[in-house]
Amino acid sequence: EAVVAAMRAHASDAAVQARACGALRNLTKGGAEAEENRTRAGDAGAIEATVAAMLAHAADKGLQERACGVLRNLTTSSVQNESRAFNAGAIEAVVAAMSVHADRALVQETASAAMRNLTSGNVKYIARAGLSGAVEALVEAMRRHTESPGVQSSACVALYFLIEDNAENKTRAL
């Protein structure tokens, strides 16, 4: 809760936002042992604060990578946090991060993993991701970062879920 409060109090300070996203990412990573932290962070407004930070500081590559990590972690096995992220505009924020930082492999890898979790088999979320340019951003990440196994793997997994049973997204991927 303290980290989210700091994000709200210092929304215009990119350094505070980046460090707060780093703290949230580290607090929420892991398996079942981190589940309580993910729930508490979601309840405290971490998703909304993270998306706001991404939109306010779009040019900060470090912030964007950490923020995508927060979204990836918070939407791991949490339908409630996936819904919060959808409502906060997280899908669009991740696509924007991928577009602005197309040359940054770490941003692309983390954003791809976030996109996988943000859409997680939900037909409505998958459709919005497609309309938001997620498929094209993932394909572009793969084209630009052929040397990065992390980008290739994360983007392939995200694409798998975005194009499965979605004809429009399949067409976008070709």
Side-chain angles (χ1 to χ4, degrees), residues 36-62:
E36 182 180 340
N37 287 350
R38 289 192 288 269
T39 299
R40 287 181 62 193
D43 290 346
I47 291 168
E48 295 82 358
T50 298
V51 171
M54 292 176 79
L55 298 176
H57 306 286
D60 188 319
K61 64 184 175 293

Side-chain angles (χ1 to χ4, degrees), residues 109-127:
E109 180 178 346
T110 310
S112 295
M115 189 58 66
R116 175 198 66 224
N117 286 1
L118 287 165
T119 54
S120 194
N122 183 304
V123 174
K124 183 167 92 172
Y125 301 174
I126 288 169

Side-chain angles (χ1 to χ4, degrees), residues 75-87:
T75 55
T76 298
S77 303
S78 173
V79 173
Q80 186 174 15
N81 281 346
E82 288 172 24
S83 177
R84 287 178 174 133
F86 179 82
N87 292 331

